[in-house]
Amino acid sequence: MVTRVAFRVDASLEIGSGHVMRCLTLADALQAQGAECHFICREHSGHLSKLIETRGFAVHRLPLERNGPETGAEVSSEPELAHARWLGTTWARDAAACRAILAELAPAWLVVDHYALDYRWETAVLTGLPGAAPRLLVIDDLADRRHVADLLLDQNLGRQAEDYRDLVPESCRVLAGPHYALLRPEFRKWREASLSRRARQPRLQRLLINLGGVDKDNVTGQVLEALSVCDLPGDLEITVVMGAAAPWRESVTTQTKEMPWFTEVVINVNDMARRMAEADLAIGAAGSTSWERCCLGLPTLMVVLADNQREIAHALVENDASLTLDLSELQATLATQLAVLSKPCALIAMSQQAAVLVDGDGRDRVIMALGSMSQEELR
């Protein structure tokens, strides 16, 4: 198996925490097999370097550039990437800084999970390293830019390898769809109990709200306000999960005290699988957490918080695995969708449809792909 792996990934108030969290899921599995994992992260506002370190991984921090990415930007005939601003600098500067770190680490694999990086950064980083260049795994959701990857993972529903045909080398292996969803092993562990409970107890008693680790626009507060005037069971219990970096955390905590039902706020939970398994309904973002909810068959009302979540939301609705909420008409759509799910048969049907999509073994499949390609290189 590979012995050293480097991850280039960021979190911030704008980016959110999902990219780092799924990379940590992969790093945990690699570490369990004896790999030494290193993270390269820029110190954006809301970065998660301390969290990564508490999980047992080294973090090589890239300082935040106070002058912004425009100063000294490289000249390019190609259009700027849609998410270029997420990098906080130019791709060339980022590549130079990362290449110096990688020259010291000499990893067997480089994992890149960043919408602001493409083949130009990848080529610049991998060219000129002493010794053999690492193999490259790209984790993506957008299929909107070129890569020079050896392996590419896009875990989103409806995604097909064909979507990357003109974006990666012919030799690149593409892992597409939620069959490869990067979930922590506790979701697979709780799957059977979660599905069994839903089949025999389809009623709304526990509501779980999780709109990302950051929720910079306080959508959580909007949801709570809309919920407060809905007709819901008197014994309802609401749990709001937030990240420590969430800027509206104190405001939401104050707001929960005015709710008609018992409502609690929990921060940086380490038992999300259990909480999802015990919940009857979730209100959540249409991001990578969608696959955790599907694995546990948790019926969900989704909120699209970013453009890159629209495809996920559309695919889940098309598969009858979730319903969406319109933020522009939140009160009306929330009441409508709750009415749809008020019938026990509706909760059961949605749970079953969601569970079919994700079995919880995706991380192991990705690890097997990494291992098999590493063995091929040794032969």
Side-chain angles (χ1 to χ4, degrees):
M1 188 56 192
V2 294
T3 56
R4 182 173 290 168
V5 180
F7 290 80
R8 176 66 187 97
V9 61
D10 282 335
S12 74
L13 296 182
E14 184 174 15
I15 296 170
S17 59
H19 299 269
V20 165
M21 298 310 294
R22 65 186 178 188
C23 283
L24 281 172
T25 296
L26 183 58
D28 284 339
L30 289 167
Q31 185 182 61
Q33 295 194 6
E36 178 186 317
C37 297
H38 294 252
F39 282 71
I40 304 174
C41 304
R42 192 165 297 280
E43 295 181 309
H44 299 285
S45 178
H47 70 86
L48 296 176
S49 296
K50 288 184 178 179
L51 172 64
I52 297 170
E53 289 169 341
T54 62
R55 295 279 286 269
F57 303 111
V59 179
H60 305 263
R61 304 187 185 205
L62 304 176
L64 191 64
E65 295 192 1
R66 300 302 177 186
N67 293 330
E70 293 80 15
T71 303
E74 62 275 350
V75 177
S76 175
S77 60
E78 299 187 37
E80 185 177 70
L81 296 180
H83 295 82
R85 69 183 185 281
W86 282 14
L87 198 56
T89 186
T90 67
W91 66 261
R93 286 181 178 175
D94 194 277
C98 292
R99 187 168 57 243
I101 296 170
L102 293 170
E104 292 291 327
L105 293 178
W109 279 89
L110 170 62
V111 181
V112 179
D113 188 345
H114 210 303
Y115 294 166
L117 302 176
D118 66 357
Y119 79 98
R120 293 169 295 178
W121 182 95
E122 295 158 6
T123 301
V125 163
L126 297 175
T127 300
L129 289 175
R135 305 197 80 169
L136 176 63
L137 163 62
V138 170
I139 303 177
D140 190 33
D141 306 291
L142 306 178
D144 68 344
R145 61 204 189 281
R146 289 169 53 196
H147 300 284
V148 292
D150 298 288
L151 186 64
L152 186 140
L153 166 64
D154 187 327
Q155 62 185 12
N156 294 306
L157 181 62
R159 186 66 74 203
Q160 299 179 3
E162 179 70 11
D163 296 333
Y164 286 92
R165 184 182 63 177
D166 298 325
L167 301 177
V168 296
E170 289 187 10
S171 59
C172 177
R173 181 180 175 187
V174 178
L175 309 179
H179 186 64
Y180 297 100
L182 293 172
L183 303 188
R184 300 189 301 278
E186 53 261 38
F187 288 95
R188 185 67 181 86
K189 175 183 175 182
W190 277 94
R191 177 177 166 85
E192 183 177 349
S194 180
L195 298 182
S196 176
R197 186 183 70 80
R198 297 180 199 290
R200 67 177 185 270
Q201 294 180 1
R203 67 179 294 253
L204 179 53
Q205 185 177 9
R206 293 191 180 98
L207 173 62
L208 181 69
I209 301 174
N210 177 25
L211 292 158
V214 176
D215 186 17
K216 65 183 179 67
D217 297 320
N218 194 24
V219 177
T220 301
Q222 298 176 50
V223 167
L224 288 174
E225 182 178 357
L227 276 172
S228 67
V229 294
C230 287
D231 183 16
L232 294 168
D235 61 350
L236 180 69
E237 298 178 2
I238 302 174
T239 297
V240 179
V241 178
M242 305 185 78
W248 295 93
R249 186 177 65 177
E250 291 185 9
S251 174
V252 168
T253 300
T254 299
Q255 189 176 357
T256 60
K257 297 175 183 178
E258 305 299 323
M259 292 294 289
W261 311 276
F262 171 79
T263 306
E264 64 174 345
V265 176
V266 293
I267 308 298
N268 278 2
V269 301
N270 56 15
D271 60 346
M272 182 61 90
R274 178 187 67 80
R275 291 178 183 274
M276 285 186 177
E278 294 177 351
D280 303 302
L281 177 68
I283 297 178
S288 56
T289 308
S290 299
W291 316 127
E292 298 173 355
R293 297 190 295 257
C294 283
C295 179
L296 298 174
L298 175 57
T300 301
L301 300 179
M302 289 182 302
V303 179
V304 174
L305 298 180
D307 287 341
N308 61 289
Q309 296 180 358
R310 296 190 188 281
E311 284 189 40
I312 296 175
H314 177 74
L316 286 168
V317 171
E318 286 290 299
N319 282 267
D320 298 320
S322 187
L323 293 172
T324 55
L325 297 175
D326 185 346
L327 279 178
S328 65
E329 300 180 4
L330 185 56
Q331 179 60 64
T333 55
L334 184 56
T336 298
Q337 304 295 41
L338 286 171
V340 170
L341 294 176
S342 63
K343 302 178 180 63
C345 60
L347 287 173
I348 293 176
M350 183 180 287
S351 175
Q352 293 174 340
Q353 289 297 110
V356 167
L357 301 176
V358 182
D359 63 7
D361 291 329
R363 186 181 75 159
D364 292 341
R365 297 184 181 102
V366 175
I367 292 295
M368 288 179 63
L370 284 166
S372 64
M373 295 186 72
S374 298
Q375 289 301 314
E376 288 175 8
E377 190 168 82
L378 292 176
R379 288 199 289 269

